[in-house]
Amino acid sequence: MVLVLRYVNKEGKLIERFLDLVNVKDTSAKSLKEAIYFLILNHSLSRSQIWGQGYDGASNMQGEFNYLKTLILKDNSSAYCVHCFAHQLQLTLVAVAKKHDDVKNFFDILDKVLNIVGGSFKRREMLRDDQAEKLEELLVLGEVHMGSGLNQELRIQRLCATHWGSHFKTVNNFISLFSSIILVLGVLEKEGANYHEKTLAKSLVEDIRSYEFVYMLHLMLKILIVTCDLNTYLQRKDQDIVSAMKLVDFSKRQFQLMRECKWNSLLEDLSLFCEKNDIVILEMNEKYGFGKSKRKSSSVTYSHHLRVKVSYVFEEVDNAFSNLKGLEDFSMKLVEINMHKTWGLVYLLVKLNLILPVATATVERAFSSMKFIKNDLRSRIGDDFLNDCLVCYIKDEVFDSVPNDAIIDHFQNMTTRRMQLDKSVTDNNGIVTVEEIGNLVVKNDHGYVLWSTNVSIEINSCTASLSDNVNLLIVNSNNKVLWQSFQHPTDTFLPEMKVFMDGIFRSWTSESDPSPGRYSLRVDPRGSPQIVIWNGINSRWRSGYWDGLLFTGVPDMKAVYLHGFNLYIEGNRMYFTYNAANASDLVRFHISPTGYELQQRWDKDEGKWSIIQSHPSGGCDLYNLYGNFAKYDVTNSQKCICLNGFVPKDLGQWNARNWSKGCVRRTELECRGNNSVLKSDGGKRDGFLEIEKIKLPDYADRPGIEDLDECKSKCLDDCSCTAYAFVSGIYCMIWSGDLVDMQQFKEGGNTLYVRLAISELGKTNRTLKIVVISTPGSRGICCLYGHLLFVWQFCYYASTKPKRE
């Protein structure tokens, strides 16, 4: 059950709002009344304020005794019931048609044709095929054109007394499909299942090919066009009873105009239709014979019968309320001039006339809207969520008028959030202004503050200025800097700007939308500081560690960043700055909306920013693209390979060029877990594989050791250590766990020592390495070993020679 409220607001304007959708299991009048009262109470409304009610005409609602309408009237005598005007018009049309013999006979024949033609799938398919063939012929002749929404398939639907516009659609489609219907009836006349079916088809062909039937067909079409338009107007939300009666009066004048002026045009349309379909046209001056008997003479001609007798039934229309108009405007004017209090009873009467429901169209549309909300992709949905979705869908014009910032503020204030939602300027109406207390603010066209300097200012004598290095400053009268833009970065890093470890640069959403985008750039201080680009919460690219001169993961940094970055310590905080090699150059670093860190220089000749370098430099430069313990080797045909001593974790996926699962050890380490004690039986320690010119893995730790051998011992004694490196300017670095995001360079990079089982160190690069240790007696042992090897080879050769007889 759908409940819609119709009321007059404080400005005197008529409002009709969808309120709720209720799943009722019992459709008795008592249960429906209780459900309505519960909804009204649930929305903090009083049932005593109900001044009218209207329903779709169902018997359990509109009945006179102990039905929903009557039960509510017993509780509230002012809740007058008004029948839906659109339903009433349709029912009146049907009732009038049944009272007139000729019109009743017309609809009876029409109903029989619809039943027999649409009674089986085979006949409907025959009707569809014939329609398609005729359309192809018209396309060849150029009488119709192709296009979106044109030449849609027409269907004939059965007449229904309570369906708005069903008669109009049926009559209109019947005229368009007239020849196809004749064809289907002709086939049925010859190939019917029995004699009765064949006779009925033959009789119907004779009836619909008669001039009188065709005349009624076209006359009803013109009449139903007027009533269909009236139905459409009555279904508007802002209609009141006075306006509805005005529309009825207008429709009456349309009927009268048709009787007086459009008779000849009707006959012309009828003649063209008859010629097209080979129907005999009657002489209008001939005598009209009543019934089938030819003996009964009459002075009435066909012209008089068709023009007067048949058309007269549609002449009378009630003229009540025709002198009233503009009731809603009158109500709003009373409120505007504050006369609604002086003339309280008059205003009450006006409101009563406004809120009495004219049509139940809003209710019908609510049910129709359910198919867009509850569909195949969202078939299981609760009642509350369904109702909320319907409110948003049906009242979209209301939600369109609510600013996004108001929704964000409401959602943000519902509870404590871990992060604040971003607001933005969605059009060209953003405003930059200085508040009375001295803060610089940006507002949208609704007046919501999107951004503010948000500083405490004791006095109002503040000035905003732009320094030579493009730093925006707010300074008080004592020349004290209260706020500066360099400490609140956006998407651009400029020379002389201090980038602290907690500073964040965030990209724009797009080149034309400055709202915060999905990418951010910040400094990761773990191990040694490095620059990281983030895609949301996931790493996208990193620069490698800062060694005091350059970032180790950018091999071409020496050429590009000459006299560039510097790292300073200010108290307990570290920060980066940048100075261009040529002070006259305008240089900037920029995080783009597409997730690239760009170094740009202003080209005075071209008048635009030119790109010096960009990172990530390609798809292979993305963060950990090839998984753990793997590297992208630019020296090896630019492909992904596992580190020596490691094999793909999923060989099938690896061969399919899906490297995301990475690699695993081929041989387990002798020292595993956190146990650093060697076996008592003399087990050997693990060793290290040296890899040069590599981008060091992420997540390094610095134990504070400044000696290479000591760094190696530190890693060897700790079973959780998987690799170590010794970098000038950073010194000892060790890694625990998986090694991620490595890349093999042609030049640059650093040396990484990866921990392997001692048995793997002889397998690297498939090259057998023999280590000879010089000790006393070793020369004799080697000679003995060589002699034994020679004897073994000689015996093996002798045993494999073919024996002689």
Side-chain angles (χ1 to χ4, degrees):
M1 178 177 66
V2 172
L3 186 65
V4 174
L5 290 187
R6 188 177 173 93
Y7 62 94
V8 176
N9 64 9
K10 296 180 180 180
E11 289 78 24
K13 184 178 180 180
L14 176 64
I15 305 294
E16 186 171 294
R17 287 282 184 264
F18 168 81
L19 184 64
D20 216 327
L21 175 72
V22 185
N23 183 15
V24 289
K25 298 180 180 179
D26 185 6
T27 58
S28 63
K30 184 178 179 181
S31 299
L32 294 176
K33 185 192 79 169
E34 292 176 354
I36 292 175
Y37 284 173
F38 176 78
L39 281 178
I40 293 175
L41 182 63
N42 192 41
H43 287 83
S44 302
L45 301 174
S46 175
R47 66 186 185 185
S48 62
Q49 295 178 329
I50 300 176
W51 292 91
Q53 53 180 318
Y55 307 99
D56 62 357
S59 58
N60 60 338
M61 297 182 178
Q62 290 283 77
E64 292 294 333
F65 303 102
N66 293 326
Y67 290 101
L68 182 58
K69 174 190 73 173
T70 307
L71 293 178
I72 294 180
L73 275 173
K74 288 180 180 179
D75 295 340
N76 189 353
S77 59
S78 63
Y80 301 104
C81 183
V82 178
H83 199 291
C84 172
F85 273 43
H87 274 108
Q88 191 174 2
L89 175 64
Q90 179 71 11
L91 294 173
T92 302
L93 179 67
V94 174
V96 170
K98 291 181 178 180
K99 289 183 179 180
H100 195 279
D101 293 336
D102 290 327
V103 179
K104 182 178 182 300
N105 183 52
F106 164 76
F107 280 113
D108 286 343
I109 297 174
L110 189 64
D111 195 47
K112 290 178 182 179
V113 173
L114 297 177
N115 288 335
I116 194 170
V117 173
S120 71
F121 175 79
K122 180 180 179 180
R123 295 166 199 162
R124 292 196 299 271
E125 189 68 23
M126 192 185 306
L127 191 70
R128 188 181 298 112
D129 292 342
D130 186 68
Q131 185 181 171
E133 290 178 5
K134 286 183 170 56
L135 179 60
E136 290 180 1
E137 294 176 0
L138 294 175
L139 288 173
V140 172
L141 297 175
E143 296 184 11
V144 295
H145 302 281
M146 298 294 291
S148 177
L150 300 178
N151 309 317
Q152 298 294 313
E153 179 185 346
L154 300 178
R155 300 179 180 179
I156 52 175
Q157 62 182 25
R158 297 180 181 180
L159 303 171
C160 182
T162 58
H163 286 184
W164 303 336
S166 66
H167 287 62
F168 168 72
K169 293 179 181 178
T170 300
V171 172
N172 189 37
N173 290 349
F174 196 96
I175 293 176
S176 301
L177 299 175
F178 188 84
S179 59
S180 300
I181 293 173
I182 293 292
L183 175 66
V184 174
L185 291 176
V187 173
L188 187 62
E189 181 183 350
K190 297 177 181 179
E191 302 176 1
N194 50 58
Y195 175 77
H196 174 72
E197 196 173 75
K198 294 179 179 180
T199 305
L200 179 60
K202 182 179 180 181
S203 175
L204 290 176
V205 170
E206 292 176 355
D207 289 336
I208 66 176
R209 286 181 59 83
S210 65
Y211 186 84
E212 290 189 31
F213 179 87
V214 175
Y215 171 82
M216 289 298 303
L217 190 64
H218 284 75
L219 176 63
M220 290 305 303
L221 178 63
K222 292 187 176 295
I223 293 172
L224 291 171
I225 288 176
V226 178
T227 58
C228 185
D229 292 340
L230 179 58
N231 249 327
T232 303
Y233 289 127
L234 288 176
Q235 293 173 36
R236 290 176 53 184
K237 299 176 183 179
D238 57 351
Q239 289 295 352
D240 56 74
I241 290 181
V242 176
S243 299
M245 297 313 302
K246 179 183 176 182
L247 291 172
V248 172
D249 183 63
F250 174 76
S251 299
K252 172 196 169 182
R253 293 196 298 270
Q254 290 290 101
F255 285 136
Q256 187 64 29
L257 182 64
M258 185 176 65
R259 281 173 51 85
E260 295 175 353
C261 305
K262 298 185 179 180
W263 169 257
N264 293 330
S265 63
L266 174 63
L267 291 182
E268 291 177 0
D269 295 340
L270 191 60
S271 298
L272 293 174
F273 183 83
C274 291
E275 292 176 0
K276 180 180 179 181
N277 294 279
D278 296 328
I279 298 175
V280 178
I281 301 176
L282 298 178
E283 283 291 337
M284 293 293 104
N285 295 326
E286 288 186 0
K287 301 296 183 181
Y288 171 74
F290 296 95
K292 296 184 179 180
S293 175
K294 302 295 183 181
R295 298 179 180 178
K296 295 182 180 181
S297 60
S298 172
S299 59
V300 178
T301 62
Y302 276 104
S303 175
H304 183 271
H305 169 72
L306 297 176
R307 183 170 185 176
V308 180
K309 293 292 184 180
V310 176
S311 304
Y312 182 75
V313 68
F314 301 102
E315 180 179 0
E316 295 300 327
V317 179
D318 192 359
N319 289 319
F321 307 108
S322 59
N323 294 326
L324 298 178
K325 63 180 181 178
L327 197 59
E328 182 180 354
D329 293 338
F330 177 62
S331 171
M332 295 177 65
K333 193 65 176 179
L334 284 176
V335 176
E336 181 182 346
I337 62 177
N338 203 26
M339 293 296 293
H340 64 293
K341 296 180 180 179
T342 305
W343 303 95
L345 294 178
V346 174
Y347 184 61
L348 180 63
L349 180 62
V350 172
K351 288 198 298 181
L352 178 61
N353 281 275
L354 282 173
I355 64 176
L356 288 178
V358 171
T360 59
T362 303
V363 177
E364 300 292 340
R365 293 190 183 100
F367 282 114
S368 300
S369 301
M370 289 180 61
K371 64 183 179 181
F372 296 101
I373 304 299
K374 192 172 183 179
N375 50 32
D376 294 338
L377 298 178
R378 194 167 42 226
S379 58
R380 297 177 63 87
I381 184 172
D383 293 340
D384 293 338
F385 185 56
L386 174 62
N387 179 67
D388 295 340
C389 292
L390 279 174
V391 171
C392 298
Y393 180 81
I394 296 172
K395 295 302 175 185
D396 57 340
E397 74 280 358
V398 176
F399 286 91
D400 286 342
S401 63
V402 179
N404 293 336
D405 299 320
I407 299 175
I408 292 175
D409 289 339
H410 178 76
F411 177 79
Q412 203 75 60
N413 296 330
M414 290 172 63
T415 184
T416 303
R417 311 283 179 185
R418 287 187 297 175
M419 61 180 296
Q420 297 293 312
L421 298 177
D422 295 313
K423 302 177 186 177
S424 60
V425 179
T426 56
D427 49 32
N428 297 327
N429 298 323
I431 301 172
V432 180
T433 183
V434 179
E435 291 183 328
E436 294 181 357
I437 62 174
N439 272 315
L440 191 67
V441 297
V442 176
K443 298 181 179 180
N444 63 10
D445 56 339
H446 297 287
Y448 285 92
V449 177
L450 306 178
W451 175 85
S452 171
T453 53
N454 196 25
V455 293
S456 300
I457 301 175
E458 298 178 357
I459 55 178
N460 296 338
S461 56
C462 298
T463 58
S465 61
L466 192 65
S467 62
D468 293 338
N469 59 0
V470 203
N471 187 14
L472 181 62
L473 305 172
I474 295 182
V475 184
N476 63 12
S477 57
N478 297 325
N479 291 327
K480 180 182 178 180
V481 177
L482 303 177
W483 181 90
Q484 56 179 312
S485 61
F486 273 14
Q487 294 181 356
H488 303 273
T490 55
D491 68 328
T492 303
F493 171 52
L494 298 173
E496 300 183 27
M497 180 184 290
K498 297 180 180 180
V499 182
F500 289 91
M501 299 298 106
D502 56 352
I504 300 177
F505 295 84
R506 192 175 297 276
S507 70
W508 286 15
T509 299
S510 66
E511 295 294 344
S512 59
D513 184 359
S515 60
R518 58 190 297 186
Y519 299 103
S520 61
L521 185 146
R522 65 189 73 178
V523 178
D524 182 4
R526 178 174 177 172
S528 181
Q530 59 180 335
I531 297 173
V532 181
I533 297 177
W534 295 82
N535 181 359
I537 61 174
N538 300 315
S539 300
R540 171 174 167 81
W541 174 83
R542 65 185 183 93
S543 65
Y545 303 100
W546 175 256
D547 66 359
L549 296 175
L550 49 81
F551 292 104
T552 58
V554 185
D556 57 347
M557 186 172 178
K558 292 182 179 180
V560 177
Y561 292 86
L562 187 62
H563 304 297
F565 281 93
N566 289 287
L567 179 65
Y568 296 96
I569 298 178
E570 186 178 275
N572 295 327
R573 304 177 69 191
M574 293 188 298
Y575 65 88
F576 278 107
T577 62
Y578 176 79
N579 293 288
N582 188 349
S584 62
D585 287 341
L586 296 179
V587 181
R588 71 173 185 178
F589 293 86
H590 173 65
I591 175 70
S592 71
T594 54
Y596 289 88
E597 179 263 328
L598 307 175
Q599 183 184 10
Q600 299 172 307
R601 180 176 60 241
W602 181 255
D603 190 329
K604 298 179 180 180
D605 297 331
E606 296 290 336
K608 64 179 182 179
W609 292 99
S610 60
I611 298 177
I612 302 175
Q613 57 87 28
S614 172
H615 292 102
S617 58
C620 301
D621 202 16
L622 296 176
Y623 185 86
N624 202 31
L625 183 64
Y626 306 106
N628 302 336
F629 296 111
K631 62 180 180 179
Y632 175 72
D633 192 350
V634 297
T635 66
N636 189 3
S637 301
Q638 294 189 347
K639 66 178 183 179
C640 177
I641 59 175
C642 293
L643 299 180
N644 290 327
F646 293 81
V647 293
K649 185 175 183 180
D650 189 334
L651 186 58
Q653 292 292 326
W654 188 274
N655 292 333
R657 304 182 67 83
N658 180 10
W659 306 292
S660 58
K661 294 185 179 180
C663 305
V664 294
R665 292 185 182 275
R666 183 163 45 207
T667 304
E668 289 294 335
L669 298 173
E670 188 72 24
C671 179
R672 296 191 293 271
N674 294 321
N675 181 20
S676 61
V677 180
L678 298 179
K679 293 182 178 180
S680 60
D681 58 356
K684 298 180 180 180
R685 288 191 173 216
D686 302 317
F688 292 93
L689 173 68
E690 179 181 331
I691 306 176
E692 297 179 340
K693 300 179 181 179
I694 195 169
K695 179 180 180 180
L696 296 178
D698 201 2
Y699 306 116
D701 292 316
R702 296 176 64 186
I705 298 174
E706 299 184 3
D707 180 75
L708 175 61
D709 294 334
E710 188 179 350
C711 183
K712 176 181 178 180
S713 299
K714 172 70 175 177
C715 183
L716 190 62
D717 293 339
D718 185 358
C719 291
S720 63
C721 177
T722 54
Y724 76 94
F726 194 84
V727 180
S728 176
I730 304 177
Y731 304 115
C732 182
M733 305 176 72
I734 62 175
W735 285 265
S736 300
D738 296 339
L739 303 180
V740 301
D741 190 35
M742 292 177 287
Q743 188 174 349
Q744 188 76 57
F745 298 136
K746 291 182 179 180
E747 297 293 338
N750 299 98
T751 301
L752 178 69
Y753 300 90
V754 180
R755 188 179 200 138
L756 291 179
I758 196 68
S759 59
E760 288 290 343
L761 294 178
K763 299 178 182 178
T764 56
N765 295 327
R766 298 182 179 179
T767 302
L768 182 62
K769 297 182 180 179
I770 301 176
V771 180
V772 178
I773 303 175
S774 179
T775 58
S778 62
R779 184 174 302 173
I781 294 174
C782 290
C783 292
L784 177 61
Y785 176 80
H787 177 71
L788 292 175
L789 181 61
F790 173 80
V791 172
W792 175 80
Q793 287 181 340
F794 176 82
C795 294
Y796 176 81
Y797 176 77
S799 63
T800 56
K801 287 185 65 176
K803 295 181 179 181
R804 297 183 179 179
E805 292 293 336

